[in-house]
Amino acid sequence: MKSMDISIHEVERLERSGRRFMAAAILAALTMIAATWWGLMTFLGSASAWGTVEGVRSEWIPDVESLVLDLPDISSLSEVYTADGVLLGKLNERNSQPLPLDEIPNLVIGAVLSAEDGDFMDHNGIDYRGVARAFIENVGGGARQGGSTITQQIVKANFIGTEATLKRKVSEAAIAIELERRFTKEQLLEFYLNSVFFGNNAYGVKAAAEVYFGKDLADLTIAEAAALPVPIRNPSLYDLRRGDEITVKARDAVIDEMVDEGYITEAEGEAAKATSIVVAPPAETPDPAPQVLIAAKDAILNDPLYGLGATYLQRKRAVFGCPAYDTECEGGGGLKIFVTVDLGLQQQALDILQTWLPAGANGPTGAIAMVDNATGATLVMATGLEFGTDIEAGQRQYDLATKGRRNAGSSFKPFGLIAALEQGIPLNSFWDMTTPQFLDFGGVGPWECNNAGTNSPQIRSLEDALIYSTNTVFCQVSVTVGGGAIRETAQRMGIKSPLGDFPSIVLGAYEVSPLEMAAAFSTIANQGIRVENYLIERIEDADGNVVYQHQVDERRVIEAAIAAATTNTMELAVSRGTGGRAVLNPTRPQAGKTGTHEHYTDAWFVGFIPQYTTSIWVGFPDSQVEMRNITVNGVFIPTAFGGSVAAPIWREFMQIVTRDLPIQDFAPDPDGIGVYYQTPRVRIPDVIGMDIEDAEEELLQAGFEVTITVVNSEEDEDTVVATDPPEGELTRQGTTVEVEVSSGIPPETILPDLIGQSRSVAVAALTRLRAETEIQFSWNLVFVETTERTLNNTVASTTPGPGATITEESVITLRIHQFNRDGG
């Protein structure tokens, strides 16, 4: 079949020149058509309007000998293959499946000729009898008749359009005759049978047979073959799927014509007319991965990267081929598009999702996306729902792995961690993890942030906050570094969905897709090198020429030491944190992060090994519904968390992925990683005189643990009277600060028994007692005479006596023996 090479400008130019030898014949037929439109009397009587016959011939009849009249290429379907050559399906916006004429059954050829042009094999492009018959029927008020031959239909569809003017009709006739001169009847018929539009996106007889009857051409019955060409004249009026009276009458008319032409016997015709029109239901897609086909189509139509055109229209024509009415478009379609998806793993992922989360069970579903860390290739993009329109049966017409954007919950925290490390906040920084936290971020009011559970006031390191997914710590981190910094970090690493900069971004407040999360986390696995995620591996044209070949696109976006520190922390999140149910094998390095959106509407686990990164999402497909009291994999789940639902699905799928995969280690920690494990030194806040609750909050906010000792003091009850270390001292975060709090009771002590002690010993004891108790009592000495030399300078008695309570108001009297030998 020749390719089209015609310009509409050539047609217009040649229409003005004239071809003498056919003028009389054409004008004879066109005179009847003109009489129908404008009136025969007007045509014959208005010399000023019509000019001479010679003028009409010169202006309207094209110089067809100089006209380029190659028949257009008939576009064929573009096909999508996996990288290893497995056919996934065909991109069929324009369902065109051309066949050689010798492969089209005579019964089908006879039906089309009977319906459209019974004299095709005999006329020279214009059927004058048909024109006259149509003219008589139309003037007489009968059913509208078409006078166009198959050749004329080709001209209208491919060269000059369908404008209802006499001038166009003249040009149509002239070009039709020229086509008949240049091409054989077989060539014209083959082109027509493969290109004519049958409605319902079917172009050509093969596509029409599949669309309407679900059959190959050779399997059509007489009744079906006769019905096949009925929609050609008017696909919306003669819709075979309706099977109404007008359509049945049209089919029966074709059958009668087939009998008259000798294609079938009269008996066969009567039997066929007794058969109702039964069309096949719209075929369910047999494609093994229809969501992949959609993603491949969207990728190449919406991006000029693939060399298929600078505009959307150009790319669309390259993929689907040319519309039949476009006379300046050539060929198109017939591409072989190779994608990166591993069909075996794709099917395994689908099986796991449908086992754990059965479709049509009125419960949640899920999605799995996996990328190759080294190349960025999308290997799996599986949705737990089948592709289709039966909503009640659990079908959907979109892909949750790539298009299903949902709140990522705490699986977004690694982006906050990296933003903090980039701003000099180390993993061993300590934060108040008390819930709730009321944080001032410059908004209308404070932001209330809560943990999943409750806890007493305490601190937690940034590292442990990621391991155990502590919301209150990351809320403070987000306010400190800024939501905008976290947004920029996430986008730099591979998140492409729109993100805001509200601090709750760190808790997954903005919606992202599972594939985006896998691609962004692979940047962590690659020690900070972002390898651009992609789906299209290669595109070949219909001749096997490679028009696009993907090249790995990588660039560093995160400092290697920061990425390594993040990986180390995420390894601990799996081995001893919230991701414990994702553990594969104690000897295989793996890292990951759980995520649960508020009200348990979305559950995530995004994890990676050195080779691959995989994202799991679980939730309801159409809206955010709380996942409480659900059944997952046959097990009742009262409340769904990322760690309880998504993590075990990740584990089961990745066990398949790693079954024969060599164990690799993550890259060694790079130089300079130690700085991200330092513990900050800060000064002890001055909390003396503060209420204990306020003082404890301030100390926790500064990153210190707090122990409280109640002491008697004249200060108001619950007032801080002392700290150890004291205020202002530079101290490592995480240190425990001992806080002395007033009981509201003045301090007191017990007077020891000093009787018999020497004066110096007794005074020293009182001095020591005052220093130790910090009770500022006082004492005085009174001397009493004694005749006993051995008692000289010893305590005779005290007031108050031994065991008495001593306060700051107390004055202790020590009576000291003084020797007097005379005794008087």
Side-chain angles (χ1 to χ4, degrees), residues 79-267:
E79 298 173 328
V80 178
Y81 293 84
T82 60
D84 55 353
V86 178
L87 177 63
L88 290 180
K90 300 180 180 182
L91 301 181
N92 62 349
E93 179 175 88
R94 174 186 170 94
N95 188 356
S96 173
Q97 304 178 52
L99 290 174
L101 185 63
D102 59 11
E103 294 183 17
I104 300 175
N106 289 332
L107 179 64
V108 174
I109 295 173
V112 174
L113 291 176
S114 297
E116 292 300 311
D117 191 353
D119 297 327
F120 175 74
M121 301 307 293
D122 299 321
H123 61 62
N124 67 344
I126 304 296
D127 184 358
Y128 301 110
R129 288 182 298 174
V131 171
R133 183 171 57 250
F135 171 72
I136 294 170
E137 291 292 336
N138 294 337
V139 172
R144 299 292 297 177
Q145 296 288 317
S148 294
T149 65
I150 282 177
T151 313
Q152 288 175 283
Q153 291 182 48
I154 292 173
V155 172
K156 283 190 291 187
N158 298 280
F159 296 111
I160 64 173
T162 58
E163 182 187 9
T165 66
L166 185 57
K167 180 178 179 180
R168 186 205 60 78
K169 200 68 177 176
V170 171
S171 298
E172 173 191 306
I175 296 172
I177 293 172
E178 181 63 15
L179 281 181
E180 292 273 354
R181 189 179 71 84
R182 296 191 189 187
F183 295 95
T184 67
K185 288 288 187 180
E186 289 75 14
Q187 288 175 316
L188 293 172
L189 183 58
E190 178 181 304
F191 178 81
Y192 180 78
L193 292 173
N194 283 310
S195 65
V196 67
F197 181 53
F198 287 83
N200 283 287
N201 197 37
Y203 290 82
V205 289
K206 177 175 172 59
E210 291 181 356
V211 166
Y212 289 117
F213 301 110
K215 295 181 177 182
D216 290 331
L217 290 171
D219 298 326
L220 294 179
T221 65
I222 293 174
E224 291 167 343
L228 199 65
V230 167
I232 291 176
R233 291 292 173 90
N234 190 328
S236 58
L237 178 62
Y238 300 107
D239 188 347
L240 295 184
R241 294 201 180 281
R242 288 201 305 268
D244 50 16
E245 182 179 358
I246 188 173
T247 306
V248 172
K249 286 183 176 180
R251 182 214 52 186
D252 290 350
V254 174
I255 293 174
D256 290 339
E257 190 67 24
M258 292 175 71
V259 172
D260 292 343
E261 295 292 337
Y263 293 112
I264 57 175
T265 66
E266 187 173 346

Side-chain angles (χ1 to χ4, degrees), residues 34 114 255 289 325 387 408 472 523 583 633 660 670 686 794:
S114 297
I255 293 174
Y325 59 79
F387 184 81
T472 51
T523 301
V583 173
N633 200 27
D660 298 315
D686 181 5
T794 63

Side-chain angles (χ1 to χ4, degrees), residues 410-480:
S410 292
S411 63
F412 221 75
K413 285 174 181 171
F415 303 120
L417 176 66
I418 291 171
L421 294 175
E422 289 182 331
Q423 293 192 21
I425 301 172
L427 289 165
N428 280 342
S429 60
F430 284 83
W431 304 75
D432 182 6
M433 65 169 290
T434 309
T435 190
Q437 290 282 324
F438 294 92
L439 306 172
D440 184 6
F441 64 97
V444 175
W447 172 33
E448 181 178 349
C449 177
N450 293 275
N451 291 327
T454 60
N455 60 269
S456 58
Q458 58 187 297
I459 60 173
R460 177 162 284 175
S461 71
L462 182 57
E463 180 181 47
D464 280 347
L466 188 77
I467 294 170
Y468 300 109
S469 200
T470 310
N471 289 347
T472 51
V473 170
F474 273 93
C475 289
Q476 295 171 77
V477 168
S478 187
V479 170
T480 301

Side-chain angles (χ1 to χ4, degrees), residues 10 46 102 113 195 288 293 296 304 324 365 375 389 411 465 507 517 523 539 547 559 678 706 770 817-818:
E10 291 179 308
S46 178
D102 59 11
L113 291 176
S195 65
L293 293 181
T365 185
T375 66
T389 58
S411 63
L507 302 183
M517 289 295 287
T523 301
I539 300 176
V547 297
E559 182 186 324
Q678 292 179 350
V706 177
R770 184 166 59 183
H817 287 292
Q818 187 175 41

Side-chain angles (χ1 to χ4, degrees), residues 420-654:
L421 294 175
E422 289 182 331
Q423 293 192 21
I425 301 172
L427 289 165
N428 280 342
S429 60
F430 284 83
W431 304 75
D432 182 6
M433 65 169 290
T434 309
T435 190
Q437 290 282 324
F438 294 92
L439 306 172
D440 184 6
F441 64 97
V444 175
W447 172 33
E448 181 178 349
C449 177
N450 293 275
N451 291 327
T454 60
N455 60 269
S456 58
Q458 58 187 297
I459 60 173
R460 177 162 284 175
S461 71
L462 182 57
E463 180 181 47
D464 280 347
L466 188 77
I467 294 170
Y468 300 109
S469 200
T470 310
N471 289 347
T472 51
V473 170
F474 273 93
C475 289
Q476 295 171 77
V477 168
S478 187
V479 170
T480 301
V481 304
I486 297 174
R487 176 192 62 200
E488 189 276 333
T489 298
Q491 291 173 336
R492 189 174 0 124
M493 292 172 61
I495 297 297
K496 297 180 180 179
S497 291
L499 301 173
D501 55 9
F502 194 84
S504 59
I505 185 176
V506 79
L507 302 183
Y510 300 101
E511 297 175 343
V512 292
S513 73
L515 182 59
E516 285 179 288
M517 289 295 287
F521 271 43
S522 73
T523 301
I524 305 173
N526 288 330
Q527 276 207 348
I529 295 176
R530 173 177 171 176
V531 182
E532 198 66 34
N533 173 238
Y534 73 102
L535 176 64
I536 307 299
E537 184 68 52
R538 185 174 78 259
I539 300 176
E540 298 176 1
D541 65 18
D543 297 322
N545 300 310
V546 176
V547 297
Y548 171 79
Q549 176 64 60
H550 177 77
Q551 301 297 322
V552 173
D553 178 11
E554 63 180 39
R555 62 190 183 280
R556 177 165 296 284
V557 296
I558 302 294
E559 182 186 324
I562 290 178
T566 304
T567 297
N568 295 342
T569 306
M570 294 173 69
E571 284 188 272
L572 296 175
V574 174
S575 63
R576 62 181 176 88
T578 58
R581 295 187 184 182
V583 173
L584 293 170
N585 180 331
T587 64
R588 183 181 292 277
Q590 66 178 105
K593 183 68 189 76
T594 56
T596 308
H597 189 49
E598 61 182 359
H599 306 305
Y600 316 103
T601 57
D602 300 279
W604 293 75
F605 184 82
V606 188
F608 53 86
I609 60 176
Q611 297 97 320
Y612 304 115
T613 300
T614 298
S615 174
I616 308 292
W617 167 82
V618 175
F620 283 82
D622 302 317
S623 60
Q624 290 182 309
V625 179
E626 287 191 11
M627 290 188 287
R628 295 181 184 270
N629 303 321
I630 62 174
T631 299
V632 177
N633 200 27
V635 177
F636 176 76
I637 304 291
T639 304
F641 291 90
S644 63
V645 174
I649 294 177
W650 189 95
R651 177 178 182 270
E652 182 166 327
F653 175 67
M654 290 302 291

